[in-house]
Amino acid sequence: MPRYTMEEFVKTTGQKDLGEGKFELERDRLLEVNLDGRVWIKRGAMVAYLGNVKFTREGVLEHGLGKFVKKAFTGEGVSLTKAEGTGKVYLADTGKKISIINLNNESIFVNGNDLLAFEESVSWDIKLMKRMASMMSGGLFNVKLEGTGMVAITTHYDPLTLRVTSDQPVYTDPNATVAWSGNLVPELKTDISLKTFVGRSSGESVQMAFRGEGFVVVQPFEEVMYVTTTA
């Protein structure tokens, strides 16, 4: 561990203004939000703030009845908090690495567990995966974000992005899948003949199959265990 004088420690670890806009990576695992208005953040992600900032948990019907029903079905994995005012807000999520994606009239799907923050200008909706033989503990769902603005996502360790092309589909472990481009519609692929368990499934090999043109983001970590449910 490095040893510092007190002055050296404060200088070395102190906050720095990078001038990169509303979302800045203060550290690989710490997001700085330069707040002047409102952003949505993952509930419980705030670790510090400066200035005149108010935090409000989203209302039960704030985003409409449709999203309320979906949230009731999927669980609490996408609970949000509004951060409003002027100042700096610092966000983190269990030491996971943070990536900032700047949407320009584009869309992206993000696993609900891996969404850290997004600007108010970005619209969102909860999407449930269909034809599921198993369900992730905590709810198998993802969030579609679209429009123009910044989105912050988290990964365990460094993310890997794989290109999907019309002649080269990509297959991923659902528990390691973080995000994918908004034009892709993944399918569930099962193969009960395989002896090894992909995605730590209960007796079946389960993968997500991506076909078309786009990209998929994965992490070197299986974030959620599978729990078998009856249909």
Side-chain angles (χ1 to χ4, degrees):
M1 294 291 291
R3 296 186 181 183
Y4 303 100
T5 66
M6 189 175 297
E7 183 178 352
E8 289 172 338
F9 179 78
V10 171
K11 182 177 180 180
T12 302
T13 63
Q15 180 267 342
K16 299 175 177 63
D17 286 318
L18 304 177
E20 295 178 350
K22 183 166 286 186
F23 286 10
E24 294 184 3
L25 282 181
E26 186 66 29
R27 303 287 190 274
D28 287 347
R29 294 168 173 81
L30 195 64
L31 177 70
E32 178 184 273
V33 180
N34 295 301
L35 187 63
D36 185 12
R38 176 193 294 178
V39 297
W40 288 98
I41 66 176
K42 185 175 183 178
R43 190 172 61 164
M46 189 276 290
V47 297
Y49 72 93
L50 310 172
N52 184 19
V53 182
K54 179 181 178 182
F55 299 92
T56 308
R57 181 176 175 177
E58 62 176 331
V60 172
L61 295 176
E62 182 161 351
H63 302 291
L65 180 60
K67 287 181 183 176
F68 168 72
V69 173
K70 293 177 184 178
K71 284 172 64 65
F73 181 79
T74 57
E76 290 296 322
V78 72
S79 294
L80 300 171
T81 294
K82 287 182 290 188
E84 300 176 279
T86 304
K88 294 181 181 295
V89 180
Y90 296 93
L91 307 177
D93 186 6
T94 62
K96 294 165 67 176
K97 296 198 74 168
I98 300 170
S99 298
I100 300 171
I101 301 172
N102 198 359
L103 300 181
N104 183 17
N105 197 26
E106 297 164 305
S107 62
I108 188 172
F109 285 94
V110 181
N111 184 293
N113 291 328
D114 303 317
L115 178 61
L116 182 64
F118 57 94
E119 290 192 73
E120 188 181 21
S121 58
V122 176
S123 63
W124 66 280
D125 195 10
I126 298 171
K127 300 294 182 179
L128 307 180
M129 290 196 64
K130 300 178 181 179
R131 300 175 58 191
M132 295 301 298
S134 301
M135 180 167 285
M136 287 184 182
S137 57
L140 179 59
F141 64 96
N142 41 72
V143 181
K144 185 176 184 181
L145 302 128
E146 55 187 336
T148 298
M150 293 186 182
V151 175
I153 66 173
T154 59
T155 56
H156 290 277
Y157 312 106
D158 292 325
L160 172 67
T161 299
L162 302 171
R163 285 284 183 181
V164 181
T165 63
S166 57
D167 58 352
Q168 184 60 66
V170 172
Y171 304 93
T172 66
D173 176 348
N175 295 336
T177 306
V178 174
W180 57 91
S181 49
N183 60 303
L184 296 181
V185 180
E187 299 175 355
L188 193 72
K189 182 177 183 292
T190 61
D191 190 344
I192 60 175
S193 66
L194 293 182
K195 300 300 182 183
T196 57
F197 297 160
V198 178
R200 297 185 179 181
S201 57
S202 300
E204 289 186 339
S205 174
V206 182
Q207 304 115 38
M208 294 174 72
F210 295 88
R211 297 181 175 88
E213 299 287 338
F215 63 86
V216 183
V217 182
V218 295
Q219 61 184 357
F221 186 90
E222 290 182 309
E223 191 162 19
V224 183
M225 296 287 285
Y226 264 85
V227 176
T228 300
T229 60
T230 57

